[in-house]
Amino acid sequence: MTARDWWKSAVVYQVYPRSFADSDGDGVGDLGGIIERLDHLQRLGIDVVWLSPVYRSPMADNGYDISDYEDVDPLFGSIEQLDELIAGLHERGMKLVMDLVVNHTSAAHAWFQESRSSADNPQRDWYWWRSPRPGFEPGTPGAEPTNWGSAFSGPAWTYDAATGEYYLHLFAPEQPDLNWENPEVRQAVYAMMNRWLDRGVDGFRMDVICLLSKVLVDGELPDGRLERDPLGAGVVDVTTYGDTTPLVVNGPRIHEFMQEMHREVFAGRPPGLLNVGETPATTIEQARLYTDPARAEVDMVFQFEHVDLDSGPQGKWDIVPMTMLDLKRSWGRWQDGLAETGWNSLYLGNHDQPRCVTRYGNDAPEHREQSAKSLATVLHLHRGTPYVYQGDELGLPNVGFTRIDQMRDIESLNHYATAVAAGQDPAAVMAALSAKGRDNARVPMPWDDSPSGGFTTGTPWIDVHPMASTVNAAAQVDDPDSVFAHFQRLIALRHDEPVVAHGTFRMLLPDDEQVYAFVREHDGDRLLVVANLSDVPDVVAELEEAPYDGADLLLGSVPGATPSPTDPLAPWESRVFRLK
Ligand code: GLC
């Protein structure tokens, strides 16, 4: 390892500030709340905090619509408190990575205000302005410049009567896309990133970076095909709109832009920084290009293959069954694909995904803790950098939403309104939202068994988790058998064992429907991971190289058990061995 790839032995923890801890009683989490809870992060043992956006924002998409990149929104506190957070983390040996959204700004950003003010404003070209489609009445359905849909329902274009043109937004109308073709835009973004690094942050989690470069045909944005690209799952509704995936994902100049960003922002700075890109609908080949150190783009990317496995032909809300084998095959391909070149980000959950224990495990009372532990064991022992989403270290399941008025997320609310207006059965729409809606991961972090789970003294912005009184941090941090304690041990293992950080990965039993097993190897040191990722009792891993005499158990999910690699596994039981 070189100082530049320190993140191979690191674990990142994502804080969603709105829902982490509220210090001023207004019902919304804030920087003061995070500062008060740094001990929790230190006890867990994580190395890096990824902080979801705290910039000034009208909060149409909870801060992923930034109106001022250089300041903190008063809802979350002040820039001085952000400095305090950076200092507090650094004192404890942790780093801070800021979430940064540069595919789009808020419509309230000064850049967009200038851009929309007149067709000949010098900043007009900082965003994508286009004329209505000829032959249509401007502002009426069909007059949009292209047939593109937005990820949050509705068309990707909004008409601006003042100048008679449309602007592009791949997400909500409040999130206009920046035009990365314009070098002034790119320089303004790099300058802003440099100011953050100069201020002391340790890097960025770059929101949807794979969307920055759009395909242009003779200078124009083309229509999308009205057939589904297999990679389009979850991006837009292709029954109504053209498929934008081939037109906006990993577009022709994306690698040029990322190399330029690296040169202008990161090159020449001392080691210790992290730049991770969020890249929906990205293939292994693309991920290799992004993360090959020789190409100097980003350190790692979040790929989406495993979070799209339960999306059907109509996209994210068309939920189809997903098996453990699907997950194993997908992750196996990514482990092999980035074995020689590049690096994986390892995640099961974040603020955009439902809770992993419900989705990939089993949240029934008898299985919840074991499945939370064993999913984490498998994830953390892969080759790559693991990410822990707040609450996953407690084994929090989905909320079990039954009514749309319990939800707050723009994506869910828009989808409900659009789907029901289009005639879909409201109960079926609600069932899909309950299973996959982003608010599952956005309800307040439960700290203790007090009324609002210790999150706030006020009224929380969204109801606390129904299990907050039993599944909470206070109940777990001192319990050696808790999910939290298991996460502590997994994180320590990555710090202590070079084989976890640097070892090769070899999948065993690739076709087994219950057992997820693999070997990590580094400098003659070998670890064996065996997990029963199913409800089936007494599963025996038919390991070819068994009986593995003298294997040492390093970590087991079942308290007190000291089995060997070939002893039967209880439902959702996992074990990590050092092999002789
Ligand atoms: C990313 C963020 C998500 C946000 C979207 C638009 O996918 O993770 O929360 O809604 O980008 O910025």
Side-chain angles (χ1 to χ4, degrees):
M1 182 171 71
T2 67
R4 293 216 170 263
D5 58 7
W6 58 272
W7 30 258
K8 290 187 173 173
S9 59
V11 177
V12 184
Y13 185 95
Q14 183 188 356
V15 170
Y16 194 68
R18 169 176 283 270
S19 305
F20 193 64
D22 174 23
S23 68
D24 62 5
D26 68 353
V28 178
D30 50 35
L31 291 172
I34 304 171
I35 292 167
E36 286 169 9
R37 297 290 182 178
L38 289 182
D39 286 351
H40 178 82
L41 305 179
Q42 194 170 17
R43 265 185 104 162
L44 189 56
I46 55 101
D47 305 273
V48 181
V49 169
W50 148 22
L51 181 62
S52 278
V54 293
Y55 315 90
R56 274 190 192 264
S57 166
M59 305 287 167
D61 186 18
N62 290 357
Y64 287 83
D65 48 323
I66 301 171
S67 56
D68 183 351
Y69 289 106
E70 318 270 345
D71 201 3
V72 167
D73 197 280
L75 190 64
F76 294 131
S78 64
I79 191 95
E80 289 74 26
Q81 278 178 304
L82 185 57
D83 288 338
E84 201 187 318
L85 175 63
I86 296 171
L89 285 167
H90 287 175
E91 272 164 30
R92 290 170 166 80
M94 294 181 274
K95 294 173 186 281
L96 182 72
V97 161
M98 299 279 279
D99 208 318
L100 190 59
V101 189
V102 296
N103 174 69
H104 44 270
T105 65
S106 162
H109 195 288
W111 296 345
F112 188 71
Q113 295 295 311
E114 281 294 316
S115 183
R116 89 184 310 172
S117 65
S118 75
D120 55 11
N121 183 280
Q123 278 175 282
R124 184 67 167 180
D125 184 48
W126 281 40
Y127 294 83
W128 295 95
W129 291 98
R130 291 292 184 273
S131 305
R133 195 183 285 271
F136 287 82
E137 179 65 25
T140 62
E144 295 83 13
T146 69
N147 63 359
W148 298 5
S150 106
F152 292 159
S153 306
W157 295 96
T158 289
Y159 185 60
D160 195 41
T163 54
E165 287 189 320
Y166 285 82
Y167 67 88
L168 176 69
H169 50 86
L170 295 180
F171 295 89
E174 295 89 344
Q175 296 168 294
D177 278 49
L178 281 165
N179 175 13
W180 273 69
E181 296 292 320
N182 185 324
E184 288 173 13
V185 168
R186 305 203 297 274
Q187 287 307 323
V189 168
Y190 305 148
M192 173 268 290
M193 292 173 76
N194 273 305
R195 282 191 290 275
W196 279 113
L197 293 183
D198 293 345
R199 192 163 197 118
V201 310
D202 302 291
F204 304 99
R205 174 269 187 190
M206 304 293 300
D207 195 69
V208 291
I209 45 146
C210 60
L211 305 182
L212 301 184
S213 166
K214 278 87 172 161
V215 167
L216 289 166
V217 177
D218 299 330
E220 284 310 322
L221 298 165
D223 278 330
R225 284 182 307 128
L226 289 165
E227 306 144 26
R228 207 179 88 81
D229 184 296
L231 284 177
V235 181
V236 285
D237 162 13
V238 284
T239 50
T240 314
Y241 299 103
D243 184 7
T244 46
T245 303
L247 304 177
V248 304
V249 177
N250 301 320
R253 298 184 69 189
I254 187 60
H255 296 288
E256 174 197 336
F257 294 161
M258 297 321 293
Q259 287 171 7
E260 183 181 70
M261 179 185 291
H262 187 274
R263 268 196 318 277
E264 301 276 333
V265 180
F266 295 94
R269 288 186 182 266
L273 303 177
L274 173 67
N275 198 19
V276 46
E278 187 208 19
T279 55
T282 287
T283 59
I284 292 172
E285 291 66 37
Q286 280 291 338
R288 217 184 276 136
L289 296 177
Y290 279 116
T291 65
D292 176 354
R295 295 170 54 90
E297 297 189 14
V298 295
D299 300 314
M300 58 188 93
V301 291
F302 292 109
Q303 59 97 359
F304 276 57
E305 200 177 283
H306 64 291
V307 294
D308 285 335
L309 291 173
D310 53 3
S311 296
Q314 306 308 323
K316 171 171 181 171
W317 305 113
D318 172 20
I319 302 178
V320 296
M322 162 180 61
T323 67
M324 194 277 276
L325 260 186
D326 296 330
L327 178 68
K328 180 160 61 169
R329 287 182 176 150
S330 172
W331 276 359
R333 273 196 302 278
W334 280 83
Q335 289 289 299
D336 290 347
L338 301 188
E340 304 295 329
T341 307
W343 192 250
N344 277 292
S345 301
L346 308 172
Y347 74 102
L348 279 164
N350 60 38
H351 67 294
D352 294 329
Q353 302 298 333
R355 288 290 179 178
C356 60
V357 67
T358 305
R359 189 185 206 178
Y360 301 96
N362 183 337
D363 64 9
E366 66 276 26
H367 295 308
R368 186 183 56 77
E369 288 188 25
Q370 274 300 313
S371 65
K373 289 178 182 177
S374 292
L375 285 169
T377 303
V378 166
L379 182 86
H380 282 246
L381 269 293
H382 273 71
R383 181 177 162 84
T385 299
Y387 287 72
V388 180
Y389 180 65
Q390 69 185 40
D392 280 349
E393 78 276 30
L394 308 176
L396 264 190
N398 271 357
V399 172
F401 294 109
T402 52
R403 300 186 324 268
I404 192 67
D405 66 25
Q406 297 169 310
M407 305 187 108
R408 299 286 177 274
D409 175 23
I410 184 172
E411 179 190 45
S412 295
L413 301 184
N414 286 359
H415 173 65
Y416 186 83
T418 312
V420 170
Q424 288 186 39
D425 170 20
V429 176
M430 196 56 221
L433 288 171
S434 183
K436 269 183 147 182
R438 305 193 295 182
D439 284 332
N440 279 301
R442 297 179 177 188
V443 299
M445 175 81 174
W447 294 101
D448 55 40
D449 61 4
S450 64
S452 289
F455 165 73
T456 181
T457 55
T459 307
W461 68 277
I462 186 170
D463 284 349
V464 296
H465 199 286
M467 290 176 76
S469 61
T470 50
V471 183
N472 61 60
Q476 295 196 25
V477 290
D478 294 318
D479 173 2
D481 295 336
S482 65
V483 178
F484 181 87
H486 190 79
F487 269 75
Q488 281 179 313
R489 289 193 281 268
L490 286 171
I491 294 166
L493 212 54
R494 177 163 292 263
H495 294 157
D496 298 344
E497 303 285 350
V499 60
V500 176
H502 305 292
T504 56
F505 178 98
R506 183 163 54 92
M507 191 73 87
L508 307 176
L509 307 178
D511 301 319
D512 194 301
E513 289 172 12
Q514 280 91 38
V515 180
Y516 198 128
F518 52 91
V519 171
R520 304 290 312 280
E521 188 159 1
H522 180 67
D523 277 350
D525 191 17
R526 286 192 307 153
L527 297 189
L528 169 69
V529 179
V530 187
N532 172 11
L533 295 191
S534 80
D535 301 347
V536 180
D538 295 329
V539 166
V540 175
E542 307 285 350
L543 298 163
E544 276 174 23
E545 296 150 63
Y548 290 118
D549 289 335
D552 272 343
L553 185 72
L554 286 188
L555 181 65
S557 65
V558 172
T562 49
S564 86
T566 47
D567 283 352
L569 293 146
W572 298 99
E573 179 175 6
S574 59
R575 304 169 188 154
V576 181
F577 300 94
R578 166 158 283 124
L579 298 180
K580 286 268 153 53

